[in-house]
Amino acid sequence: MLNHTPKEIQERKGGVINPAKTCQPIGAMYAALGIHNCLPHSHGSQGCCSYHRMHLTRHFRDPVMASTSSFTEGASVFGGGANVKASVRNVFSIYNPDVMAIHTTCLTETIGDDIPSFIAAAEVPEGKTVIHANTPSYVGSHITGFSNMTKAMVGYLAEATDDSKKEQANVIPGFVNPGDMREIKRIMKLMEVPFIMFPDTSGVVDSPMTGEFSMFPKGGTTVEQLRDTGNSKITLALGEFAANDAAVLLDRKCKVPAKILRTPIGIKATDEFLMALRSTFAKEIPYELEEERGQLVDIITDTHFHFHGKKVAIFGDPDIVIALTEFVMSLGMVPVHVLTGTPGKSFERQVKAMLLAAGVEGNVKAAGDLFLLHQWLKNEPVDLLIGNTYGKYIARAEDIPLMRVGFPILDRSVHSYLPIVGYKGALRLIEMISNTLLERQDRDAEDEDFELVM
Amino acid sequence: MAFREQDLDALMYEYPAKVKRNRKKHILVRDTSQQKQEIEANTRTIPGIITNRGCAFAGCKGVVLGPLKDMVHIVHGPVGCGYYSWLTRRNKARTDEGGKNFIEYCVTTDMQESDIVFGGEKKLAQLIDEVVETLKPNAISVSATCPVGLIGDDINAVSKAAQQKHHIPVLSFSCEGYRGVSQSAGHHIANNGLMEHVIGDSDSEEAPGKYAINMLGEYNIGGDSWEIERILEEIGYTLVSVMTGNSSYEELREAHTAELNLVQCHRSINYIAEMLEKKYGTPWLKVNFIGIESTVESLRDMALYFDDPALTQKTEEVIARELARVEPVMEQYKKICNDKTAFCFVGGSRGHHYQKLFKELGIETILAGYEFAHRDDYEGREVIPDIKMDADNRNIPEIKVEKDERRFRLKIPPERMEELKDKIPLSNYPGMIPDMKDGHIVVDDLNHFETEEFIRILKPDIFASGIKDKYVVQKMGIPSKQLHSYDYSGPYAGFNGAIRFAKDVADGFTTPTWNFINPPWQNEPLLSGTVEEGEHTC
């Protein structure tokens, strides 16, 4: 497995080997699926759209619908205006969504297609909406694409219709699973704070089996809600990389103040999320949440010896990795390798600061790849690898147990239905960490060291 | 139920007029009373229609080149194209003793904004240097993606320079995603490159053994080609190369030494098959190793070609033994599958190949089609002279090969060749349509709308397609079977594959899940009680 990866690390500048990121449009497609009755549309050649639908489908094991402008060589040279106009006509007459959310690819960005003027010239039926985001694949990563499409929801739809703000919060959950979005919504309901979450893919990519296929499932944030985000009292952006830009634009456009928080993974980040709600809306934290927090601390205390001092490597998308790094440190674990494929100085700054504060010496890199991570692991092995499915090749090569968290997870099911956020999600993470480590201890133990009670 | 032409009009009611006119040419109802039924195929996709198609890059790097295991396949482009074609097609590859295998690696220039603005040639050259130094492959391929053609990066020049610098082959492929109208363009581009730069690029003049063959258009999905090899080797064939499942640059160089080329996937590899015949005089035989009967038929066709009593006898021995082994196993699955109907919509060859295997299980394929096949795959190769080249396909280069004067050798005499052509599909493929029955539907580039409509009208018992359709169909309560990835199972080829397929399909029908779709409260009133017989007490 991965036999050609040498232990010795040499600096590489020509590109990446085994990326820890993918390109913008898939993130935009995912965000657009979080709008109710919306069909994502990929303005480019059709290969991108197929790849993105396939990849999301494999992660969620649910239908992922999207249309494409299907560029040919002619359109690539002379522009794709006719393609997008035909797409708008065909999509609305054949599939009838309420919203068409267009994103772009490296093709259409390179040729400089002017989407707003194309949309203006297209026949958009009465009462229907077309929004767009520019998502050049050669900038950032899929997280950037998610951020750009979320920003487009604000840019096209958010309206401040009243001078005074409503007692309601906007929540931008970031690039997380529908299971996480459901958990954040549950917390909001327990807090009794009215809210608009956007985008919201719960009920879309985790839809139930009913015997009927619904092209536009029940879930998703409605256009009315998206409009109303301009009237909220605050926007909580969970995850700087995925959620920051939309929140900032909402502040600029509609004067809704933005609060940038971490993805609420683990005790500290969840505490901060609740404290933000508490102070903004002057609401006490209900006992149910206090109980959940107490249960979490109880379990960590009970089982700290399962994971304390264990070395761990974490890779994936920046918001998730930052929050996870903090969480495993709060368990007493030692993150010695932390990497994301998404570029951005803030990632390295934040993670390094955390490691420094804890006195941990570790490798930290943004815009890194899994080839480098593997080399780090050859030089300094760990007890646990946390990351997406691609980590299984490294895990096998180096005989390190892998715990699957993040995007994409292509070889296991259920993960996207259950949360990793909130106190409940943290409890689930601890179960996953402990199970993974203890399974390994059981597997490796001599008969005489094989324990009944652990 | 019988489907008629007028039913198509009803189905297309929602379509804008232009779309309707277009789509009508891509759908036909099989009618054997007509001499010739023509279908339109390999034309541009309708924007916004929700197609299943991919792009030329996927056809070139993802399908044809990717399986070559001792090469590093560099994707020159932003990160996505390399990333999505990384380990997602299940072209299995085993590392040979002391050999190289880069299947688990994804290597891309990961173009950034500055590369788009100032060009990415330097970065590509740098990456090639790094790959040679760290990974040490036997050869390198460079595949272009959408922006590469637009910004004018000359990947040919970069590759040529790198080849001179490093003394290993560096092959470049201009398979930008927008070329052609589908994956098909990429197949053609890959075929051209392999023919020009790899096949025949060795000093070998003799095949390494008796009855030497190449297996063309077989990508070892889920181990398919290993099962085929098991059978062929037992009969006594020498497999010179496979294009390109579990294969290598080193293996492909020897392909000119074979006596016969077998073509499994006609669409993706017929260019090379034709060129090998022209250049080296090696005929090709259309085979189908999907299904027991098809496998048997293909083995007998091969024996007929080589016309050697010992080989024929061994062929029959192996067939008899395998049949005795697998037929009883198939019986149990036939009981479950019998009298059912299927849709079979797959890339460019399986839409046809699997129909016979379904038939062996008692399942009738009532709708079939391809994403990106051409008219010859539907109607047979005899229509090739009538196929009109359109503007979208004109820019895919056609290469001309010449007879290799030194190596060209007629493998069998011309008279015998003609005689054989009457009996077996030698250098010929009759296409899918002749195998379909009256009232059955052929659809080219089936889209989401038509998928839903045809399912609603025809109610198939199983839908064989890909990952994008799978969960759509299952949500409707219909079993679906992926015939690209085999739902992570396989092999499905050969004798063992037929059993495996039968088991997987039968499991799909019998899984208890279908009983749970409707919750018990849906058909029960909320309040229930019994009306008591009036017992007059007073």
Side-chain angles (χ1 to χ4, degrees):
Chain A
M1 192 63 45
L2 297 172
N3 290 333
H4 302 277
T5 307
K7 186 176 175 186
E8 186 194 334
I9 299 171
Q10 277 175 316
E11 200 198 358
R12 288 177 285 117
K13 285 181 179 158
V16 298
I17 306 179
N18 300 351
K21 65 169 177 183
T22 181
C23 63
Q24 282 209 39
I26 194 173
M29 186 182 283
Y30 181 54
L33 289 167
I35 304 175
H36 184 60
N37 279 352
C38 173
L39 188 69
H41 180 85
S42 169
H43 186 54
S45 55
Q46 67 210 7
C48 312
C49 185
S50 271
Y51 273 145
H52 299 143
R53 290 180 62 201
M54 284 157 112
H55 212 65
L56 290 170
T57 300
R58 286 171 175 142
H59 176 81
F60 295 110
R61 292 179 199 254
D62 234 29
V64 169
M65 305 311 295
S67 55
T68 161
S69 295
S70 294
F71 266 59
T72 56
E73 191 153 5
S76 307
V77 177
F78 302 111
N83 294 58
V84 86
K85 277 179 239 167
S87 297
V88 168
R89 189 170 55 241
N90 293 336
V91 161
F92 283 114
S93 50
I94 302 169
Y95 296 113
N96 197 28
D98 288 345
V99 188
M100 201 171 155
I102 303 175
H103 61 261
T104 58
T105 67
C106 49
L107 166 56
T108 43
E109 287 297 322
T110 303
I111 65 174
D113 265 1
D114 179 7
I115 312 287
S117 63
F118 291 162
I119 295 175
E123 305 158 32
V124 180
E126 186 74 28
K128 303 288 181 180
T129 309
V130 179
I131 67 170
H132 103 283
N134 292 93
T135 51
S137 316
Y138 44 78
V139 176
S141 75
H142 56 298
I143 299 298
T144 322
F146 180 93
S147 168
N148 283 337
M149 182 52 82
T150 308
K151 202 172 142 190
M153 294 173 200
V154 173
Y156 272 91
L157 299 169
E159 287 171 2
T161 47
D162 224 328
D163 282 346
S164 59
K165 297 297 183 193
K166 290 185 191 172
E167 279 295 303
Q168 79 182 14
N170 299 325
V171 183
I172 305 176
F175 196 122
V176 292
N177 280 320
D180 297 312
M181 297 182 186
R182 283 179 192 275
E183 177 62 12
I184 294 166
K185 289 196 288 186
R186 190 185 68 92
I187 292 171
M188 297 298 291
K189 280 176 196 148
L190 285 173
M191 287 294 294
E192 295 177 338
V193 173
F195 66 95
I196 299 166
M197 176 182 280
F198 74 99
D200 179 4
T201 59
S202 66
V204 181
V205 292
D206 60 356
S207 65
M209 168 80 113
T210 60
E212 271 168 45
F213 168 73
S214 168
M215 183 147 170
F216 304 108
K218 287 198 163 77
T221 318
T222 63
V223 171
E224 291 68 38
Q225 287 175 312
L226 287 169
R227 291 217 166 91
D228 197 32
T229 54
N231 298 319
S232 297
K233 192 175 174 185
I234 192 167
T235 302
L236 301 175
L238 309 182
E240 178 194 321
F241 282 80
N244 179 71
D245 288 4
V248 169
L249 181 63
L250 200 45
D251 187 4
R252 219 172 49 223
K253 187 179 173 190
C254 303
K255 303 279 173 291
V256 179
K259 197 161 180 81
I260 314 301
L261 296 164
R262 270 173 291 190
T263 307
I265 294 173
I267 307 171
K268 280 164 87 175
T270 306
D271 286 351
E272 282 166 21
F273 173 52
L274 292 183
M275 291 301 277
L277 286 170
R278 181 175 179 267
S279 62
T280 311
F281 294 95
K283 291 261 186 192
E284 260 325 322
I285 311 286
Y287 176 69
E288 274 166 278
L289 285 170
E290 201 171 305
E291 187 182 45
E292 284 174 20
R293 188 183 186 282
Q295 288 172 331
L296 174 64
V297 178
D298 187 58
I299 284 291
I300 298 174
T301 316
D302 295 346
T303 58
H304 68 94
F305 56 95
H306 288 166
F307 33 72
H308 194 96
K310 292 277 195 280
K311 282 192 198 171
V312 57
I314 307 172
F315 73 94
D317 299 332
D319 295 329
I320 307 285
V321 171
I322 290 167
L324 268 175
T325 304
E326 185 191 64
F327 178 51
V328 301
M329 281 173 41
S330 72
L331 300 178
M333 296 178 84
V334 187
V336 292
H337 310 301
V338 186
L339 180 141
T340 183
T342 299
K345 292 222 158 48
S346 146
F347 175 83
E348 289 184 12
R349 200 171 53 234
Q350 289 186 54
V351 176
K352 277 178 180 163
M354 280 192 271
L355 297 194
L356 190 70
V360 175
E361 281 201 30
N363 292 309
V364 180
K365 191 161 170 49
D369 59 22
L370 298 187
F371 192 81
L372 175 66
L373 178 70
H374 188 183
Q375 291 183 308
W376 282 349
L377 287 165
K378 279 177 182 289
N379 288 288
E380 187 175 358
V382 295
D383 301 296
L384 180 67
L385 175 62
I386 300 179
N388 63 34
T389 287
Y390 293 95
K392 77 191 275 181
Y393 291 83
I394 299 173
R396 184 177 167 97
E398 301 305 321
D399 195 25
I400 301 167
L402 169 70
M403 183 178 126
R404 289 166 177 79
V405 175
F407 175 85
I409 295 174
L410 309 169
D411 60 337
R412 296 292 187 272
S413 63
V414 188
H415 53 83
S416 61
Y417 287 74
L418 300 176
I420 59 166
V421 300
Y423 302 127
K424 283 271 193 229
L427 212 55
R428 178 169 170 244
L429 283 173
I430 289 172
E431 188 180 19
M432 288 161 73
I433 293 171
S434 292
N435 286 353
T436 312
L437 290 170
L438 297 180
E439 284 294 346
R440 179 54 61 107
Q441 192 179 324
D442 280 347
R443 192 198 81 175
D444 293 346
E446 299 292 332
D447 280 359
E448 60 272 30
D449 297 324
F450 195 65
E451 298 288 343
L452 176 72
V453 185
M454 294 170 89
Chain B
M1 68 168 277
F3 196 86
R4 296 156 307 166
E5 285 284 347
Q6 54 262 46
D7 297 323
L8 273 183
D9 286 316
L11 185 145
M12 293 186 181
Y13 182 74
E14 311 269 336
Y15 278 158
K18 207 172 156 192
V19 173
K20 191 188 283 184
R21 275 199 303 279
N22 178 318
R23 289 301 302 157
K24 277 191 88 165
K25 293 183 237 165
H26 294 262
I27 307 176
L28 64 82
V29 182
R30 179 71 175 129
D31 177 2
T32 47
S33 69
Q34 289 186 43
Q35 260 278 294
K36 184 89 206 121
Q37 281 188 291
E38 201 177 308
I39 194 164
E40 193 162 282
N42 190 35
T43 57
R44 65 170 64 171
T45 314
I46 298 169
I49 199 82
I50 311 195
T51 178
N52 273 306
R53 283 174 166 181
C55 64
F57 164 82
C60 179
K61 190 271 179 181
V63 173
V64 182
L65 301 178
L68 294 167
K69 63 189 173 187
D70 62 341
M71 297 176 71
V72 164
H73 304 288
I74 293 179
V75 180
H76 186 37
V79 68
C81 310
Y83 175 89
Y84 301 112
S85 57
W86 177 24
L87 293 165
T88 43
R89 257 173 76 83
R90 301 179 57 239
N91 40 257
K92 292 194 172 217
R94 196 176 283 145
T95 311
D96 302 321
E97 188 79 26
K100 295 173 185 174
N101 184 347
F102 299 96
I103 289 287
E104 296 136 16
Y105 291 88
C106 163
V107 183
T108 169
T109 48
D110 183 26
M111 289 175 96
Q112 300 297 305
E113 196 150 27
S114 56
D115 303 315
I116 300 294
V117 176
F118 303 109
E121 292 178 7
K122 273 192 192 147
K123 197 175 188 187
L124 174 60
Q126 167 100 30
L127 183 61
I128 296 173
D129 292 349
E130 290 168 2
V131 161
V132 171
E133 197 179 332
T134 21
L135 297 176
K136 305 177 180 66
N138 290 344
I140 287 174
S141 79
V142 175
S143 293
T145 61
C146 288
V148 171
L150 304 170
I151 62 171
D153 270 3
D154 188 348
I155 61 167
N156 295 321
V158 175
S159 301
K160 212 175 226 172
Q163 177 160 329
Q164 277 162 5
K165 181 175 174 187
H166 297 294
H167 310 291
I168 62 163
V170 182
L171 316 171
S172 56
F173 295 85
S174 296
C175 54
E176 285 86 350
Y178 55 75
R179 293 204 191 275
V181 298
S182 68
Q183 290 94 311
S184 180
H187 301 150
H188 199 160
I189 291 162
N191 275 227
N192 290 351
L194 293 179
M195 192 68 202
E196 279 191 306
H197 302 292
V198 186
I199 293 166
D201 179 40
S202 85
D203 298 330
S204 312
E205 301 302 335
E206 288 288 321
K210 257 183 129 183
Y211 318 120
I213 51 175
N214 294 314
M215 181 82 199
L216 272 59
E218 168 50 58
Y219 303 100
N220 200 28
I221 305 296
D224 274 355
S225 102
W226 288 328
E227 163 65 2
I228 300 167
E229 282 171 41
R230 176 185 73 85
I231 302 162
L232 296 182
E233 278 167 10
E234 187 169 3
I235 293 173
Y237 291 101
T238 304
L239 205 60
V240 181
S241 78
V242 177
M243 294 182 201
T244 50
N246 185 41
S247 194
S248 61
Y249 173 81
E250 292 299 329
E251 203 176 298
L252 247 59
R253 295 168 70 207
E254 311 288 331
H256 62 286
T257 63
E259 301 287 317
L260 175 68
N261 294 315
L262 309 180
V263 170
Q264 174 70 25
C265 171
H266 175 261
R267 182 68 267 135
S268 67
I269 212 83
N270 78 91
Y271 315 96
I272 285 180
E274 252 184 67
M275 290 188 278
L276 281 173
E277 186 160 10
K278 213 173 264 174
K279 191 168 179 184
Y280 302 110
T282 324
W284 59 271
L285 177 70
K286 178 70 186 78
V287 291
N288 178 17
F289 289 109
I290 301 298
I292 293 172
E293 281 171 29
S294 303
T295 301
V296 167
E297 196 180 313
S298 295
L299 294 175
R300 287 187 175 142
D301 290 352
M302 292 167 67
L304 215 55
Y305 173 86
F306 282 100
D307 194 25
D308 178 325
L311 186 77
T312 306
Q313 195 195 333
K314 187 70 192 173
T315 301
E316 291 304 327
E317 274 172 32
V318 170
I319 289 173
R321 194 203 57 206
E322 292 287 314
L323 288 183
R325 185 171 65 87
V326 300
E327 280 187 331
V329 187
M330 290 295 272
E331 278 309 315
Q332 56 177 316
Y333 299 123
K334 280 187 199 171
K335 287 185 193 125
I336 296 164
C337 299
N338 205 25
D339 277 335
K340 291 196 160 51
T341 58
F343 283 9
C344 193
F345 181 76
V346 208
S349 79
R350 292 189 179 105
H352 181 197
H353 290 148
Y354 276 80
Q355 292 191 32
K356 282 198 179 145
L357 181 49
F358 270 132
K359 185 81 199 153
E360 285 170 30
L361 288 168
I363 301 172
E364 192 77 38
T365 304
I366 54 174
L367 178 147
Y370 300 122
E371 280 171 47
F372 51 73
H374 301 193
R375 277 185 62 200
D376 41 321
D377 304 292
Y378 287 104
E379 302 172 50
R381 281 184 70 90
E382 75 219 39
V383 302
I384 289 178
D386 306 334
I387 296 178
K388 287 182 229 63
M389 187 60 85
D390 71 7
D392 297 322
N393 288 305
R394 198 163 290 137
N395 294 332
I396 303 157
E398 291 274 350
I399 58 165
K400 287 269 172 286
V401 293
E402 302 291 330
K403 195 178 196 176
D404 183 327
E405 293 300 344
R406 190 165 55 89
R407 284 170 162 174
F408 184 92
R409 182 167 55 81
L410 278 181
K411 304 298 191 280
I412 51 173
E415 321 76 73
R416 171 134 177 83
M417 183 83 182
E418 288 313 307
E419 194 188 310
L420 274 176
K421 277 184 177 174
D422 290 337
K423 296 179 189 159
I424 60 176
L426 202 57
S427 305
N428 187 32
Y429 174 44
M432 172 208 276
I433 291 176
D435 279 342
M436 296 194 70
K437 286 195 185 151
D438 279 333
H440 291 179
I441 298 161
V442 185
V443 193
D444 176 64
D445 189 16
L446 180 72
N447 57 54
H448 176 79
F449 174 77
E450 289 161 13
T451 299
E452 273 201 66
E453 290 297 296
F454 278 122
I455 287 178
R456 191 175 52 75
I457 298 164
L458 298 170
K459 301 182 174 56
D461 296 299
I462 185 168
F463 192 125
S465 176
I467 186 70
K468 296 192 293 292
D469 288 344
K470 182 182 177 74
Y471 301 106
V472 170
V473 176
Q474 279 186 185
K475 285 271 194 261
M476 300 176 186
I478 296 168
S480 84
K481 179 90 218 105
Q482 290 187 66
L483 282 189
H484 296 272
S485 73
Y486 303 168
D487 289 304
Y488 328 110
S489 175
Y492 282 171
F495 297 108
N496 289 336
I499 306 175
R500 183 73 200 229
F501 178 79
K503 182 190 183 305
D504 289 351
V505 168
D507 285 354
F509 286 134
T510 52
T511 182
T513 185
W514 308 118
N515 302 320
F516 298 121
I517 295 173
N518 293 319
W521 51 85
Q522 228 168 45
N523 298 319
E524 292 266 342
L526 183 58
L527 294 174
S528 65
T530 49
V531 178
E532 289 189 22
E533 286 296 318
E535 203 178 286
H536 297 283
T537 50
C538 53

